[in-house]
Amino acid sequence: MTITTDLLNNYVGGAWTPAAAAVGELDVVAPATGATLARVPLSGAADVDAAVAAARAALPAWRDVNVIERARRLFALREGLIARQEDLAQSVTAEMGKTIGDARAEVARAIEMVEAACAIPTTMQGRVLEDVSRGIDAETIRQPVGVCAAIVPFNFPMMVPFWFLPFAIGCGNTFVLKPSEQVPMTQRIAFEVLDSIGLPPGVVNLVNGGREVVEGLLDHPDVDAISFVGSAPVAKLVYERAARSGKRVQALGGAKNHMVVMPDAVIEKTAAGLIGSAFGAAGQRCMAGSVVVTVGEAHERLLPALTEATRALGVGDGADEATDVGPVISCAARDRIRGFIDAAVEAGATAVVDGRAVAGDGLAEDGAFVGPTILDGVTPEMAIAQEEVFGPVLAIVRAETLDDAIAIVNASRFGNGTSIFTESGSAVRRYRHQVEAGMIGVNIGVAAPVAFFPFSGWKDSFLGDLHAHGPDAVDFFTRKKTVTSRWFSDGQGSGTYFVER
Ligand code: NAD
C-alpha cells in the first residue's frame, strides 16, 4: 500500500474536509515495522458538530428515498467494495498487523454485512393484523431512528464499522463513524467507495479522533443512537453517558473466552481449532479463546499436540503470506502482554511455550511482536485466567468434570463467546443450555459473527438489548409505530376496541 505521512481528512457532508478544531495529532504506526503510515487528527467539538449537522440535514430527504432505491445504493456499495477488496485487505494488514489471509477474510465478512443489509426491503417490513375489532385494523410500521453514530475498536478496522453502517443507512438513517485512531486508514478507502456510489451528501460521515469525538457524540442532542464496540470499561462509560442523554445504545465490550475440551475430543482437529482461536490475529479478536479448560484426561491427550503445533507457528510481518502470527497493535500493547505473562509465571504458571523473547530473521526491531505463548498450570483465580490480555497468550486450566468446567466458565465476569470440543451430543446439549455467553462454538474455535444472525456477548461483554447485525440490526436502527385504523364511509368500521365514552 502507499505510505503517506499526510494528515488524514474527515468526510463530512459528502466532502473530504480537514479537521478544523483538532486538539492534537497522532502517528498511525505500522505494528510490523514501526514505520509511520500517516497522521491522524484528533478532531474537536466543532468537527463533531459539523458532521452531526450534515447528518441531520440529510435525514429528511434520505428517509424519503424509497427503500428499494436505498437497497440499490447498498448493492452499489457491495460492488464498489469488491472492486477495492485487495486494497482494503492490504490496508488492514499494514495498519493493524493481522496476516493478509486474515485481513482478506475480514474484508469478506464486511462485504457480507452489506449483502445482509441489501435485504432491507424485506427485513424492514412491519406487521398488520386485520379485525382487532370489527372493521378495525392494527399495524406496526418501522421508521428510521435518526442520526446514528458508531464508535469502533482497532482490531477489525474494516468489519466492525460495517456491523452498523449498511443496516443504519438501509433503514433510512444517516450515519457518523468514528474509527479507531490507531487504525483510521482502512475506513478512508471504505469512504472513498461510499463517496462513489451516489449517496446524497451527509448520509455518511467520518470523524477521525479519540475521546473528544466520542464524548461529543455521546452528549450531542442531535445524535439519536450510539453503537459502540471496544473494551469493557469504555463500553460501560459509553452506555451510561449515552443513556443519560436519552439515546438508544448498544455497547459491545471486552472478553475472556473459554474453550472446554472434553476427554473424547478429536485431538488433532481440536488443537488446530484452539490455535486458530488463541493465536489468530495475534489473539486480538473479541472472540479469541484465551483459556482452555481441559476436562479429566483431556489434558494429557491435548498438551503434546497443542504445544508442538504452537511451536511450529511462524511469527512475522502479516504482509508475508507465510506468516502465521503477526504483530500486536503497538509496542505498548506488546509490553503490557509480556507483563501479563511475567505475572502469571510469578503466580505459579508454567510457560510451556514462551513468546516473550520472540526474535528471528525478518522481525523488525521496532515491530510489536509477541510470540504465541501457552501457560499451563493456571488456576481460575489467577489474573491471567480472569483479565482480558488481548494478545497471543493461552492459559490452560484443569477441571475434573464438565460441571466443574461450566462453573469455571460461568464464574467469569465476561460472557462474549465460548466453545466446547467433544463428540458427545449430550455434553454439548448441557453446555449450550447452562453456559452464560452470547456466542457458542461447538468444535469451532471462533464463534465468529455471521451477518445474517445477531452477534454479541452477555454480562460485562455487552450492555444493551439489541445485538449487532442480523435481525437485531433492523430493530436497533428503526423505531416502531403502531397505527390503529377504521373507515366509516362504507359502514365497515363499526367495532370498538376500547369502550369509547
Ligand atoms: P478501546 O475501548 O480502547 O477503544 C474503542 C473506541 O473507544 C476507540 O474508538 C477509542 O477511540 C474510544 N475510546 C477509548 N478510550 C476512550 C475513553 N476513555 N473515552 C471515550 N472513548 C474512548 O478498545 P480497543 O483497544 O480499540 O479495542 C480492543 C477492545 O475491543 C478489546 O477489549 C476487545 O475485546 C473489544 N472488542 C469487542 C468486540 C465485541 O464484539 N464485543 C469486538 C471487537 C473488539
Side-chain angles (χ1 to χ4, degrees):
M1 69 172 294
T2 331
I3 293 187
T4 161
T5 44
D6 293 352
L7 186 61
L8 299 177
N9 283 326
N10 294 335
Y11 183 82
V12 175
W16 291 103
T17 313
V23 296
E25 293 174 16
L26 294 177
D27 286 343
V28 181
V29 177
T33 60
T36 299
L37 300 174
R39 291 184 64 73
V40 62
L42 298 175
S43 301
D47 300 309
V48 175
D49 278 347
V52 173
R56 181 58 57 187
L59 186 61
W62 179 243
R63 71 162 279 196
D64 283 348
V65 170
N66 73 68
V67 65
I68 296 163
E69 186 52 34
R70 293 203 305 265
R72 284 197 188 113
R73 297 301 97 221
L74 295 174
F75 281 106
L77 176 57
R78 174 185 184 273
E79 298 310 308
L81 292 174
I82 286 172
R84 300 288 302 272
Q85 209 161 354
E86 186 59 21
D87 292 348
L88 288 160
Q90 299 274 353
S91 170
V92 167
T93 293
E95 66 178 354
M96 188 275 169
K98 67 179 65 173
T99 62
I100 186 66
D102 204 16
R104 288 183 185 126
E106 172 180 348
V107 174
R109 295 292 86 75
I111 293 170
E112 278 168 20
M113 297 294 157
V114 181
E115 290 169 345
C118 285
I120 286 288
T122 303
T123 55
M124 202 181 160
Q125 289 172 14
R127 48 202 303 182
V128 185
L129 182 63
E130 208 180 45
D131 287 326
V132 292
S133 184
R134 188 179 312 143
I136 299 183
D137 303 330
E139 65 193 304
T140 294
I141 57 174
R142 293 176 180 275
Q143 298 186 335
V145 176
V147 175
C148 300
I151 299 151
V152 293
F154 78 79
N155 63 329
F156 284 99
M158 182 59 196
M159 180 182 72
V160 170
F162 277 71
W163 285 354
F164 310 111
L165 185 150
F167 299 98
I169 65 171
C171 289
N173 302 281
T174 56
F175 195 78
V176 180
L177 175 68
K178 192 212 80 70
S180 164
E181 63 275 37
Q182 296 187 90
V183 294
M185 299 185 67
T186 303
Q187 283 306 309
R188 180 168 69 167
I189 302 175
F191 271 69
E192 284 169 8
V193 175
L194 284 157
D195 185 57
S196 71
I197 60 166
L199 291 173
V203 171
V204 292
N205 305 274
L206 176 152
V207 185
N208 283 303
R211 185 179 178 153
E212 298 74 18
V213 176
V214 175
E215 291 179 351
L217 290 168
L218 298 179
D219 295 343
H220 206 294
D222 270 338
V223 173
D224 300 292
I226 297 279
S227 301
F228 171 85
V229 183
S231 59
V234 184
K236 187 157 190 286
L237 179 156
V238 164
Y239 188 69
E240 289 175 352
R241 194 155 170 167
R244 204 175 307 132
S245 62
K247 298 185 198 329
R248 179 176 291 210
V249 49
Q250 51 184 180
L252 286 73
K256 188 77 193 172
N257 303 318
H258 294 70
M259 303 185 284
V260 171
V261 180
M262 297 296 286
D264 71 337
V266 177
I267 287 302
E268 200 185 319
K269 295 214 180 325
T270 297
L274 302 179
I275 285 170
S277 180
F279 305 131
Q284 300 164 110
R285 295 186 185 127
C286 67
M287 281 290 130
S290 56
V291 181
V292 168
V293 184
T294 55
V295 174
E297 65 202 37
H299 189 270
E300 281 67 34
R301 294 189 62 223
L302 176 69
L303 215 62
L306 188 66
T307 49
E308 191 188 332
T310 301
R311 288 195 189 104
L313 295 172
V315 178
D317 187 333
D320 179 346
E321 302 269 355
T323 293
D324 298 306
V325 181
V328 295
I329 184 65
S330 63
C331 291
R334 175 196 65 196
D335 297 343
R336 182 180 50 75
I337 295 162
R338 284 181 183 158
F340 263 110
I341 303 170
D342 290 344
V345 170
E346 231 162 84
T350 309
V352 290
V353 184
D354 189 342
R356 280 175 288 187
V358 68
D361 294 349
L363 293 192
E365 231 166 71
D366 293 335
F369 293 99
V370 187
T373 296
I374 298 182
L375 295 165
D376 196 13
V378 172
T379 54
E381 55 288 342
M382 289 183 191
I384 197 76
Q386 295 189 3
E387 303 300 323
E388 182 176 45
V389 177
F390 223 54
V393 182
L394 185 59
I396 302 187
V397 174
R398 284 170 179 247
E400 284 304 312
T401 64
L402 176 57
D403 285 339
D404 295 344
I406 292 171
I408 291 169
V409 176
N410 286 349
S412 173
R413 65 189 177 94
F414 297 107
N416 217 33
T418 182
S419 300
I420 183 165
F421 289 82
T422 180
E423 295 298 302
S424 158
S426 72
V428 170
R429 172 67 175 65
R430 178 136 43 114
Y431 197 70
R432 192 181 73 173
H433 187 67
Q434 293 186 8
V435 84
E436 294 168 1
M439 305 295 295
I440 312 293
V442 177
N443 296 315
I444 299 275
V446 183
V450 179
F452 306 88
F453 288 83
F455 171 84
S456 175
W458 286 13
K459 295 159 74 175
D460 280 4
S461 298
F462 178 62
L463 296 166
D465 310 287
L466 294 166
H467 293 191
H469 55 78
D472 281 29
V474 172
D475 282 331
F476 187 79
F477 289 116
T478 59
R479 290 189 288 189
K480 297 187 198 81
K481 190 179 266 180
T482 296
V483 183
T484 311
S485 54
R486 64 179 166 178
W487 304 91
F488 296 123
S489 50
D490 66 356
Q492 286 182 53
S494 61
T496 48
Y497 191 62
F498 293 107
V499 176
E500 292 178 38
R501 293 170 198 283

